[in-house]
Amino acid sequence: LHFALRLCAMTKPILLLFAAATRSNPAFASSSSSFHIRSTAFAPTLRRAFLNLPGRSIANHVLRPTTITTTSLATPPGKGDFYDDEELFDLLNLHQALNPDEEKGLFGGDNPISGVDDGGDLNEASIAGGIHDWVLEALNDEKSNRPDDPADVSAIPGLHELVLEAVEDINSSSSSSSLKSEEIQSPSPTINQLAYDNLRTLLRDKKPSIRAIATDIDGTLLSGRFLHPTTEEAILNAIDLAYNNESNDDDEKSNNRHFFPATGKSRKGAVGSLGPTIGPLLSKCPGVYLQGLYCVDGNGGVLFERKLSASAVRAAEDLVADFDISVVGYDGDDLYTTERTDVVIGLSEIYGEPTVEMMNKLAGHEAGMHKLLLMDEDLEKLAAFRPRLEELARENDATVTQAIPTMLELLPSGCSKANGVRIVCETLGIDAAQELLAMGDAENDSGMLRMASIGVAVGNACPQARESADFIMKERHDEGGAGLAMNLFGF
């Protein structure tokens, strides 16, 4: 009982701070099946809580001195002796979030194995009772191990240690009963179980064969010009393993690894937008640029190139004039426009593309254009414009795709990012259906996500990309979703 009182005195401030945070913090997001706690959003709150609690510090986890008299131990106290009604209400809400009625996975937050915020969807075990029962079980074990020992405050473990001990016990018991659980066939598997089964299949059957990573840039690796540290580290690691790894393995396949971008950007724009650390390394990698219209090997040699017909460029220029929509023509790393509007300037300032040059008529460019970018900040106007552009494309041996909501792209017919990825993989000796991890977020990524052995959509992906992916990350591009995907599924 003395031990339990000490634990209550220690945990009450932490639980109250955490419970209070749930009332206003958006990190609690309700869904149709469960509550998902995004632990990364609570890290600053809990860090401040530990720093500000009297008698506690991050480096030295100690108990705050508490006086317990003999009289107070005469009657076993209940929760009402420690918490008032409002505090109990907060704790009940916290318990509901930590232990919903629906089936929930073991960790319910950042998975300590993969680092992925799985929301409980990706775990095999369904743990009844939540964190409250885990701690009680650990307390009972602690008591049974030393029933005759006098109360020793210095020997009482902290809440963190108790939970870790309980989780270890659950892990071991879950592992020992895994065969039995797999033999039980549920007539109607839950969404959580289906997600776990899918992840298990990808990791067990497909991940070991991955030898190449193809990734979109804008909206997948980057949010504007921001590259999340997790993603940056994962890219550097992948490039190092692919091109700097001095393996002693004589297996040619094991040493044939590749990382390359598959983007609608120009090559110069892709290299520049990823910063001074990754940019120079990317310039030495193979690449799919301009939606697959310009593909190169690691030495910069052109593997494939295709341009629009002059008639398609002329027709598009006439059409954008009717709708008052901005247009930019791409000829490799050279960009041209007939009017430098704000959205055109944003190509360089926001997305890192080369400066767009002025010219009177795009159709007058003798070298021709790989693609046209048609842009407007008014999404309704762009949506009304798209059917007319698609009609024009059918009449001029072209096709339409979209990577960013404010931009439509006119490409030569039969060309796509997926086609470019296929060409690069064939050149590198990669079987895309068996050995490629592809990552993306937009409509123009759908084809390569479908053709890859593992296709991953980041958390901010559009519906088309989600439908084409084998796995959808919960984390967005600006939360390191692509980096976590590489850590989880890459080589």
Side-chain angles (χ1 to χ4, degrees), residues 392-478:
L392 179 153
R394 287 190 295 270
E395 296 171 352
N396 291 274
D397 195 27
T399 188
V400 177
T401 191
Q402 189 168 28
I404 295 173
T406 56
M407 304 177 190
L408 293 173
E409 303 190 37
L410 186 67
L411 317 175
S413 181
C415 295
S416 66
K417 187 181 289 190
N419 184 60
V421 170
R422 178 186 60 79
I423 291 171
V424 170
C425 283
E426 288 177 355
T427 303
L428 299 175
I430 298 294
D431 181 354
Q434 300 295 326
E435 299 172 324
L436 178 67
L437 165 64
M439 302 185 299
D441 73 298
E443 173 189 325
N444 64 325
D445 298 317
S446 298
M448 74 169 182
L449 295 180
R450 287 193 298 268
M451 71 180 285
S453 176
I454 302 178
V456 177
V458 288
N460 54 288
C462 72
Q464 294 97 322
R466 288 172 172 263
E467 291 170 4
S468 303
D470 298 296
F471 194 81
I472 302 169
M473 301 296 294
K474 292 188 183 300
E475 293 78 11
R476 297 165 45 87
H477 54 340
D478 54 3

Coordinates of all heavy atoms in Angstrom, one line a residue, residues 392-478:
L392 N -7.9 19.4 -76.3 CA -6.7 19.8 -77.1 C -5.7 18.7 -77.2 O -5.1 18.5 -78.3 CB -6.2 21.1 -76.6 CG -5.0 21.8 -77.2 CD1 -5.0 23.3 -77.0 CD2 -3.6 21.2 -76.7
A393 N -5.4 18.1 -76.1 CA -4.4 17.1 -76.0 C -4.7 15.9 -77.0 O -3.8 15.4 -77.7 CB -4.2 16.6 -74.6
R394 N -5.9 15.5 -77.0 CA -6.4 14.4 -77.8 C -6.2 14.7 -79.3 O -5.8 13.8 -80.1 CB -7.8 14.0 -77.5 CG -8.0 13.3 -76.2 CD -9.4 12.7 -76.1 NE -10.4 13.8 -76.1 CZ -10.9 14.3 -75.0 NH1 -10.4 14.0 -73.8 NH2 -11.8 15.3 -75.0
E395 N -6.4 16.0 -79.6 CA -6.3 16.4 -81.0 C -4.8 16.6 -81.5 O -4.6 16.8 -82.7 CB -7.1 17.7 -81.2 CG -8.6 17.5 -81.0 CD -9.3 18.8 -81.0 OE1 -8.6 19.9 -81.0 OE2 -10.5 18.8 -80.9
N396 N -3.9 16.7 -80.5 CA -2.5 17.1 -80.9 C -1.5 16.1 -80.3 O -0.3 16.4 -80.0 CB -2.2 18.5 -80.3 CG -2.9 19.5 -81.1 OD1 -2.5 20.0 -82.1 ND2 -4.1 19.9 -80.5
D397 N -1.9 14.8 -80.2 CA -1.0 13.7 -79.8 C -0.3 14.1 -78.5 O 1.0 14.0 -78.3 CB 0.1 13.4 -80.9 CG 0.8 12.1 -80.6 OD1 0.2 11.2 -80.0 OD2 1.9 12.0 -81.1
A398 N -1.1 14.5 -77.5 CA -0.5 14.9 -76.2 C -1.4 14.3 -75.1 O -2.4 13.7 -75.3 CB -0.4 16.4 -76.1
T399 N -1.0 14.5 -73.8 CA -1.7 14.1 -72.7 C -1.6 15.1 -71.5 O -0.7 15.9 -71.5 CB -1.2 12.7 -72.2 OG1 -2.0 12.2 -71.2 CG2 0.2 12.8 -71.6
V400 N -2.5 15.0 -70.6 CA -2.5 16.0 -69.4 C -2.3 15.2 -68.1 O -2.9 14.1 -67.9 CB -3.9 16.7 -69.4 CG1 -4.0 17.7 -68.2 CG2 -4.1 17.5 -70.7
T401 N -1.6 15.8 -67.2 CA -1.4 15.3 -65.9 C -1.3 16.4 -64.9 O -1.3 17.6 -65.3 CB -0.2 14.4 -65.8 OG1 -0.2 13.7 -64.5 CG2 1.1 15.2 -65.9
Q402 N -1.3 16.1 -63.6 CA -1.2 17.2 -62.6 C -0.4 16.7 -61.4 O -0.5 15.5 -61.0 CB -2.7 17.5 -62.1 CG -2.7 18.7 -61.2 CD -4.2 19.2 -61.0 OE1 -5.1 18.4 -61.0 NE2 -4.3 20.5 -60.7
A403 N 0.5 17.6 -60.9 CA 1.3 17.3 -59.8 C 1.0 18.2 -58.6 O 1.1 17.8 -57.5 CB 2.8 17.4 -60.2
I404 N 0.6 19.4 -58.9 CA 0.3 20.4 -57.9 C -1.1 21.0 -58.2 O -1.4 21.2 -59.4 CB 1.4 21.5 -57.9 CG1 2.7 20.8 -57.4 CG2 1.1 22.6 -56.9 CD1 3.9 21.8 -57.5
P405 N -1.9 21.3 -57.2 CA -3.3 21.7 -57.4 C -3.4 22.9 -58.3 O -4.4 23.1 -59.1 CB -3.8 22.0 -56.0 CG -3.0 21.1 -55.1 CD -1.7 21.0 -55.7
T406 N -2.4 23.8 -58.3 CA -2.5 25.1 -59.1 C -1.8 24.9 -60.5 O -1.7 25.9 -61.2 CB -1.8 26.2 -58.3 OG1 -0.4 25.8 -58.0 CG2 -2.5 26.6 -57.0
M407 N -1.5 23.7 -60.9 CA -0.7 23.5 -62.1 C -1.2 22.3 -62.9 O -1.4 21.2 -62.3 CB 0.8 23.4 -61.9 CG 1.4 24.5 -61.1 SD 3.2 24.1 -60.8 CE 3.5 25.4 -59.6
L408 N -1.4 22.5 -64.2 CA -1.7 21.4 -65.1 C -0.5 21.3 -66.0 O 0.2 22.3 -66.3 CB -3.0 21.6 -65.9 CG -4.3 21.6 -65.1 CD1 -5.4 22.1 -66.0 CD2 -4.6 20.3 -64.5
E409 N -0.3 20.1 -66.5 CA 0.9 19.9 -67.4 C 0.5 19.2 -68.7 O -0.3 18.2 -68.7 CB 2.0 19.0 -66.7 CG 2.4 19.7 -65.4 CD 3.6 19.0 -64.7 OE1 4.5 18.6 -65.5 OE2 3.7 18.9 -63.5
L410 N 1.0 19.7 -69.8 CA 0.7 19.1 -71.1 C 2.0 18.4 -71.6 O 3.1 19.0 -71.7 CB 0.4 20.2 -72.1 CG -0.1 19.8 -73.5 CD1 -1.4 19.0 -73.4 CD2 -0.2 21.0 -74.5
L411 N 1.9 17.1 -71.8 CA 3.1 16.3 -72.2 C 2.8 15.6 -73.5 O 1.7 15.4 -73.9 CB 3.3 15.2 -71.1 CG 3.2 15.5 -69.6 CD1 3.3 14.3 -68.8 CD2 4.2 16.6 -69.3
P412 N 3.9 15.1 -74.2 CA 3.7 14.3 -75.4 C 2.9 13.0 -75.0 O 3.1 12.5 -74.0 CB 5.1 14.0 -75.8 CG 6.0 15.1 -75.2 CD 5.3 15.4 -73.9
S413 N 2.1 12.6 -75.9 CA 1.3 11.4 -75.7 C 2.2 10.2 -75.5 O 3.3 10.0 -76.1 CB 0.4 11.1 -76.9 OG -0.4 9.9 -76.8
G414 N 1.8 9.3 -74.6 CA 2.6 8.0 -74.3 C 3.7 8.2 -73.3 O 4.3 7.3 -72.9
C415 N 3.9 9.5 -72.8 CA 4.9 9.7 -71.9 C 4.4 10.0 -70.5 O 3.3 10.5 -70.3 CB 5.8 10.9 -72.3 SG 6.6 10.7 -73.9
S416 N 5.1 9.6 -69.5 CA 4.7 9.7 -68.1 C 5.9 9.5 -67.2 O 6.9 9.0 -67.6 CB 3.6 8.8 -67.7 OG 4.1 7.4 -67.8
K417 N 5.7 9.9 -65.9 CA 6.8 9.6 -65.0 C 7.0 8.1 -64.8 O 8.2 7.6 -64.8 CB 6.4 10.2 -63.6 CG 7.5 10.1 -62.6 CD 7.0 10.7 -61.2 CE 6.8 12.2 -61.3 NZ 6.6 12.7 -59.9
A418 N 5.9 7.3 -64.9 CA 6.1 5.8 -64.8 C 6.9 5.3 -65.9 O 7.7 4.4 -65.8 CB 4.7 5.2 -64.8
N419 N 6.7 5.8 -67.1 CA 7.4 5.3 -68.3 C 8.9 5.7 -68.1 O 9.8 4.9 -68.5 CB 6.9 6.0 -69.6 CG 7.6 5.5 -70.8 OD1 7.5 4.3 -71.1 ND2 8.2 6.4 -71.6
G420 N 9.2 6.9 -67.6 CA 10.6 7.2 -67.4 C 11.3 6.4 -66.3 O 12.4 6.0 -66.5
V421 N 10.5 6.0 -65.3 CA 11.1 5.1 -64.2 C 11.4 3.8 -64.8 O 12.4 3.1 -64.5 CB 10.1 5.0 -63.0 CG1 10.5 3.9 -62.1 CG2 10.0 6.4 -62.3
R422 N 10.5 3.3 -65.7 CA 10.7 2.0 -66.3 C 12.0 2.0 -67.1 O 12.8 1.0 -67.1 CB 9.5 1.6 -67.2 CG 9.6 0.3 -67.9 CD 8.4 0.1 -68.9 NE 8.4 1.1 -69.9 CZ 9.2 1.2 -71.0 NH1 10.1 0.3 -71.2 NH2 9.0 2.2 -71.8
I423 N 12.2 3.1 -67.9 CA 13.4 3.1 -68.7 C 14.6 3.2 -67.9 O 15.6 2.5 -68.2 CB 13.3 4.4 -69.6 CG1 12.2 4.2 -70.7 CG2 14.6 4.7 -70.3 CD1 11.8 5.5 -71.4
V424 N 14.6 4.0 -66.8 CA 15.8 4.0 -66.0 C 16.1 2.7 -65.3 O 17.2 2.2 -65.2 CB 15.7 5.2 -64.9 CG1 16.8 5.1 -63.9 CG2 15.7 6.5 -65.6
C425 N 15.0 2.0 -64.8 CA 15.2 0.7 -64.1 C 15.8 -0.3 -65.1 O 16.7 -1.1 -64.7 CB 13.9 0.3 -63.6 SG 13.4 1.1 -62.0
E426 N 15.3 -0.3 -66.3 CA 15.8 -1.3 -67.3 C 17.3 -1.0 -67.6 O 18.1 -2.0 -67.7 CB 15.0 -1.2 -68.6 CG 13.6 -1.8 -68.5 CD 12.8 -1.6 -69.8 OE1 13.3 -0.9 -70.7 OE2 11.6 -2.1 -69.8
T427 N 17.7 0.2 -67.7 CA 19.1 0.6 -67.9 C 19.9 0.1 -66.7 O 21.1 -0.3 -66.9 CB 19.2 2.1 -68.1 OG1 18.4 2.5 -69.2 CG2 20.7 2.4 -68.4
L428 N 19.4 0.2 -65.5 CA 20.2 -0.1 -64.3 C 20.2 -1.6 -64.0 O 20.8 -2.0 -63.0 CB 19.7 0.7 -63.1 CG 19.7 2.2 -63.2 CD1 19.1 2.9 -62.0 CD2 21.2 2.7 -63.3
G429 N 19.3 -2.4 -64.7 CA 19.2 -3.8 -64.4 C 18.3 -4.0 -63.2 O 18.5 -5.0 -62.5
I430 N 17.3 -3.2 -63.0 CA 16.4 -3.3 -61.9 C 15.1 -3.8 -62.4 O 14.5 -3.2 -63.3 CB 16.2 -1.9 -61.1 CG1 17.5 -1.5 -60.6 CG2 15.1 -2.0 -60.1 CD1 18.1 -2.3 -59.4
D431 N 14.5 -4.8 -61.7 CA 13.2 -5.3 -62.0 C 12.2 -4.5 -61.2 O 12.1 -4.8 -60.0 CB 13.1 -6.8 -61.7 CG 11.7 -7.4 -62.1 OD1 10.8 -6.6 -62.4 OD2 11.5 -8.6 -62.0
A432 N 11.5 -3.5 -61.8 CA 10.7 -2.6 -61.0 C 9.6 -3.4 -60.2 O 9.3 -3.0 -59.1 CB 10.1 -1.6 -61.9
A433 N 9.0 -4.4 -60.8 CA 7.9 -5.1 -60.1 C 8.4 -5.9 -58.9 O 7.6 -6.3 -58.1 CB 7.3 -6.1 -61.1
Q434 N 9.7 -6.2 -58.8 CA 10.2 -7.0 -57.7 C 11.2 -6.2 -56.8 O 11.4 -6.6 -55.7 CB 10.9 -8.2 -58.3 CG 10.1 -9.1 -59.1 CD 9.0 -9.8 -58.3 OE1 9.1 -10.1 -57.1 NE2 7.8 -10.0 -58.9
E435 N 11.9 -5.2 -57.3 CA 13.0 -4.6 -56.6 C 12.9 -3.1 -56.4 O 13.9 -2.5 -55.9 CB 14.3 -4.9 -57.4 CG 14.5 -6.4 -57.6 CD 15.7 -6.8 -58.5 OE1 15.8 -6.0 -59.5 OE2 16.4 -7.7 -58.2
L436 N 11.8 -2.5 -56.7 CA 11.7 -1.0 -56.7 C 10.8 -0.5 -55.5 O 9.7 -1.0 -55.4 CB 11.2 -0.4 -58.0 CG 11.0 1.1 -58.0 CD1 12.4 1.8 -58.0 CD2 10.3 1.5 -59.3
L437 N 11.3 0.4 -54.7 CA 10.4 1.2 -53.8 C 10.2 2.5 -54.4 O 11.1 3.2 -54.8 CB 11.1 1.3 -52.5 CG 10.5 2.4 -51.5 CD1 9.1 2.0 -51.1 CD2 11.5 2.6 -50.3
A438 N 8.9 2.9 -54.6 CA 8.5 4.2 -55.2 C 7.7 5.0 -54.2 O 6.8 4.4 -53.5 CB 7.8 4.0 -56.5
M439 N 7.9 6.3 -54.2 CA 7.2 7.1 -53.2 C 6.7 8.4 -53.9 O 7.4 9.0 -54.8 CB 8.1 7.6 -52.1 CG 8.8 6.4 -51.3 SD 9.7 7.0 -49.9 CE 11.0 8.0 -50.7
G440 N 5.4 8.8 -53.6 CA 4.8 9.9 -54.2 C 3.6 10.4 -53.5 O 3.2 9.9 -52.5
D441 N 3.0 11.5 -54.1 CA 1.9 12.1 -53.4 C 0.8 12.6 -54.4 O -0.3 12.9 -53.9 CB 2.4 13.4 -52.7 CG 2.7 14.5 -53.6 OD1 3.6 14.4 -54.4 OD2 2.0 15.6 -53.5
A442 N 1.1 12.6 -55.7 CA 0.1 13.2 -56.6 C -0.3 12.3 -57.7 O 0.1 11.2 -57.9 CB 0.8 14.5 -57.2
E443 N -1.3 12.9 -58.5 CA -1.8 12.1 -59.6 C -0.7 11.6 -60.6 O -0.8 10.5 -61.1 CB -2.8 13.1 -60.4 CG -3.3 12.5 -61.7 CD -4.1 13.6 -62.5 OE1 -4.7 14.5 -61.8 OE2 -4.0 13.6 -63.7
N444 N 0.3 12.4 -60.9 CA 1.3 12.0 -61.8 C 2.2 10.9 -61.2 O 3.1 10.4 -61.9 CB 2.1 13.2 -62.2 CG 2.9 13.9 -61.1 OD1 2.4 13.9 -59.9 ND2 4.1 14.4 -61.3
D445 N 2.1 10.6 -59.9 CA 2.9 9.6 -59.3 C 2.2 8.2 -59.3 O 2.8 7.2 -59.0 CB 3.2 9.9 -57.8 CG 4.0 11.2 -57.7 OD1 5.0 11.3 -58.5 OD2 3.7 12.0 -56.8
S446 N 0.9 8.2 -59.7 CA 0.1 7.0 -59.6 C 0.7 5.8 -60.4 O 0.7 4.7 -59.9 CB -1.3 7.3 -60.0 OG -1.9 8.2 -59.2
G447 N 1.1 6.1 -61.6 CA 1.6 5.0 -62.4 C 2.8 4.3 -61.9 O 2.9 3.1 -61.8
M448 N 3.8 5.1 -61.4 CA 5.0 4.5 -60.8 C 4.7 3.8 -59.5 O 5.4 2.8 -59.1 CB 6.1 5.5 -60.7 CG 6.0 6.5 -59.6 SD 7.6 7.4 -59.4 CE 7.2 8.4 -58.0
L449 N 3.7 4.3 -58.7 CA 3.4 3.6 -57.5 C 2.8 2.2 -57.7 O 3.0 1.3 -57.0 CB 2.4 4.5 -56.7 CG 2.9 5.8 -56.1 CD1 1.8 6.5 -55.4 CD2 4.1 5.6 -55.2
R450 N 2.0 2.1 -58.8 CA 1.4 0.9 -59.2 C 2.4 -0.1 -59.7 O 2.4 -1.3 -59.5 CB 0.3 1.1 -60.2 CG -1.0 1.7 -59.7 CD -2.1 1.6 -60.7 NE -1.8 2.3 -61.9 CZ -2.2 3.5 -62.1 NH1 -2.8 4.2 -61.2 NH2 -1.9 4.1 -63.3
M451 N 3.4 0.4 -60.5 CA 4.4 -0.5 -61.1 C 5.4 -1.0 -60.2 O 6.1 -2.1 -60.4 CB 5.0 0.2 -62.3 CG 6.0 1.3 -62.0 SD 6.7 2.1 -63.4 CE 7.9 0.8 -63.9
A452 N 5.7 -0.3 -59.1 CA 6.7 -0.7 -58.1 C 6.4 -1.9 -57.3 O 5.2 -2.2 -57.1 CB 7.0 0.5 -57.3
S453 N 7.4 -2.6 -56.8 CA 7.2 -3.7 -55.9 C 6.5 -3.2 -54.6 O 5.5 -3.8 -54.1 CB 8.5 -4.3 -55.5 OG 8.3 -5.3 -54.5
I454 N 7.0 -2.0 -54.1 CA 6.3 -1.3 -53.0 C 6.1 0.1 -53.4 O 7.0 0.9 -53.6 CB 7.2 -1.4 -51.7 CG1 7.5 -2.9 -51.3 CG2 6.4 -0.7 -50.5 CD1 8.4 -3.0 -50.1
G455 N 4.8 0.5 -53.4 CA 4.5 1.9 -53.7 C 3.9 2.5 -52.5 O 3.0 2.0 -51.8
V456 N 4.5 3.6 -52.0 CA 4.2 4.3 -50.8 C 3.7 5.7 -51.1 O 4.4 6.5 -51.8 CB 5.4 4.3 -49.8 CG1 5.0 5.1 -48.5 CG2 5.8 2.9 -49.5
A457 N 2.6 6.1 -50.5 CA 2.0 7.4 -50.6 C 2.2 8.1 -49.2 O 2.0 7.5 -48.2 CB 0.6 7.4 -51.0
V458 N 2.7 9.3 -49.2 CA 2.9 10.0 -48.0 C 1.5 10.5 -47.5 O 0.5 10.5 -48.2 CB 3.9 11.2 -48.1 CG1 5.3 10.7 -48.3 CG2 3.5 12.1 -49.3
G459 N 1.5 11.0 -46.2 CA 0.2 11.3 -45.6 C -0.6 12.4 -46.2 O -1.8 12.5 -46.1
N460 N 0.0 13.3 -47.0 CA -0.7 14.4 -47.7 C -1.0 14.0 -49.1 O -1.5 14.9 -49.9 CB 0.2 15.6 -47.7 CG 1.6 15.4 -48.3 OD1 2.4 14.7 -47.7 ND2 1.8 15.9 -49.5
A461 N -0.9 12.8 -49.5 CA -1.2 12.4 -50.9 C -2.6 12.6 -51.3 O -3.5 12.5 -50.5 CB -0.8 10.9 -51.1
C462 N -2.8 12.8 -52.6 CA -4.2 12.9 -53.1 C -4.8 11.6 -53.3 O -4.2 10.5 -53.2 CB -4.1 13.6 -54.5 SG -3.4 12.6 -55.8
P463 N -6.1 11.5 -53.5 CA -6.8 10.2 -53.6 C -6.3 9.3 -54.7 O -6.2 8.1 -54.4 CB -8.3 10.7 -54.0 CG -8.4 12.0 -53.4 CD -7.1 12.7 -53.6
Q464 N -5.9 9.8 -55.8 CA -5.3 9.0 -56.9 C -4.1 8.2 -56.5 O -3.9 7.1 -56.7 CB -5.1 9.8 -58.2 CG -6.3 10.3 -58.8 CD -6.5 11.8 -58.4 OE1 -6.3 12.1 -57.2 NE2 -7.0 12.6 -59.3
A465 N -3.2 9.0 -55.8 CA -1.9 8.4 -55.3 C -2.2 7.3 -54.2 O -1.6 6.3 -54.2 CB -1.0 9.4 -54.8
R466 N -3.2 7.7 -53.3 CA -3.5 6.7 -52.3 C -4.1 5.4 -52.8 O -3.7 4.3 -52.3 CB -4.5 7.4 -51.3 CG -4.0 8.5 -50.5 CD -5.0 9.2 -49.7 NE -4.4 10.1 -48.7 CZ -4.3 9.9 -47.5 NH1 -4.6 8.7 -47.0 NH2 -3.7 10.8 -46.7
E467 N -4.9 5.5 -53.8 CA -5.5 4.3 -54.4 C -4.5 3.5 -55.1 O -4.6 2.3 -55.2 CB -6.6 4.7 -55.4 CG -7.8 5.3 -54.7 CD -8.8 6.0 -55.7 OE1 -8.5 5.8 -56.9 OE2 -9.8 6.6 -55.3
S468 N -3.4 4.1 -55.6 CA -2.4 3.4 -56.3 C -1.3 2.8 -55.4 O -0.5 1.9 -55.9 CB -1.7 4.3 -57.3 OG -2.7 4.8 -58.2
A469 N -1.2 3.2 -54.2 CA -0.1 2.8 -53.3 C -0.4 1.5 -52.6 O -1.6 1.1 -52.3 CB 0.1 3.9 -52.3
D470 N 0.7 0.8 -52.3 CA 0.6 -0.4 -51.4 C 0.4 -0.1 -49.9 O -0.1 -0.8 -49.1 CB 1.8 -1.3 -51.6 CG 1.9 -1.8 -53.0 OD1 1.1 -2.6 -53.4 OD2 2.9 -1.4 -53.7
F471 N 1.0 1.1 -49.6 CA 1.0 1.5 -48.2 C 0.9 3.1 -48.1 O 1.5 3.7 -48.9 CB 2.3 1.1 -47.5 CG 2.2 1.2 -46.0 CD1 1.5 0.2 -45.2 CD2 2.8 2.2 -45.3 CE1 1.5 0.3 -43.9 CE2 2.7 2.4 -44.0 CZ 2.0 1.4 -43.2
I472 N 0.1 3.6 -47.2 CA 0.0 5.0 -47.0 C 0.5 5.4 -45.6 O 0.1 4.9 -44.6 CB -1.5 5.4 -47.1 CG1 -2.1 5.0 -48.4 CG2 -1.7 6.9 -46.9 CD1 -3.6 5.1 -48.5
M473 N 1.5 6.3 -45.7 CA 2.1 6.8 -44.4 C 1.1 7.7 -43.7 O 0.4 8.4 -44.4 CB 3.4 7.5 -44.7 CG 4.5 6.7 -45.4 SD 5.1 5.3 -44.4 CE 5.9 6.2 -43.0
K474 N 1.1 7.7 -42.4 CA 0.3 8.7 -41.6 C 1.0 10.0 -41.7 O 0.4 11.1 -41.6 CB 0.1 8.2 -40.2 CG -0.8 7.0 -40.1 CD -1.1 6.7 -38.6 CE -2.0 5.5 -38.5 NZ -3.2 5.6 -39.2
E475 N 2.3 10.0 -41.7 CA 3.1 11.3 -41.7 C 3.1 11.9 -43.1 O 3.3 11.3 -44.1 CB 4.6 11.0 -41.3 CG 4.7 10.5 -39.8 CD 4.3 9.0 -39.7 OE1 4.2 8.3 -40.7 OE2 4.2 8.6 -38.5
R476 N 2.9 13.3 -43.0 CA 3.0 14.1 -44.2 C 4.4 14.3 -44.7 O 5.4 13.9 -44.0 CB 2.3 15.4 -44.0 CG 0.8 15.3 -43.6 CD 0.3 16.6 -43.1 NE 0.8 17.8 -43.8 CZ 0.2 18.3 -44.9 NH1 -1.0 17.7 -45.3 NH2 0.6 19.3 -45.5
H477 N 4.5 15.0 -45.8 CA 5.9 15.4 -46.3 C 6.6 16.2 -45.4 O 7.8 16.1 -45.2 CB 5.8 16.1 -47.7 CG 4.8 17.2 -47.8 ND1 3.9 17.5 -46.8 CD2 4.8 18.3 -48.6 CE1 3.2 18.6 -47.1 NE2 3.8 19.1 -48.3
D478 N 5.9 17.2 -44.7 CA 6.5 18.1 -43.8 C 6.7 17.5 -42.4 O 7.2 18.2 -41.5 CB 5.8 19.4 -43.7 CG 4.3 19.2 -43.3 OD1 3.9 18.1 -43.1 OD2 3.6 20.2 -43.3

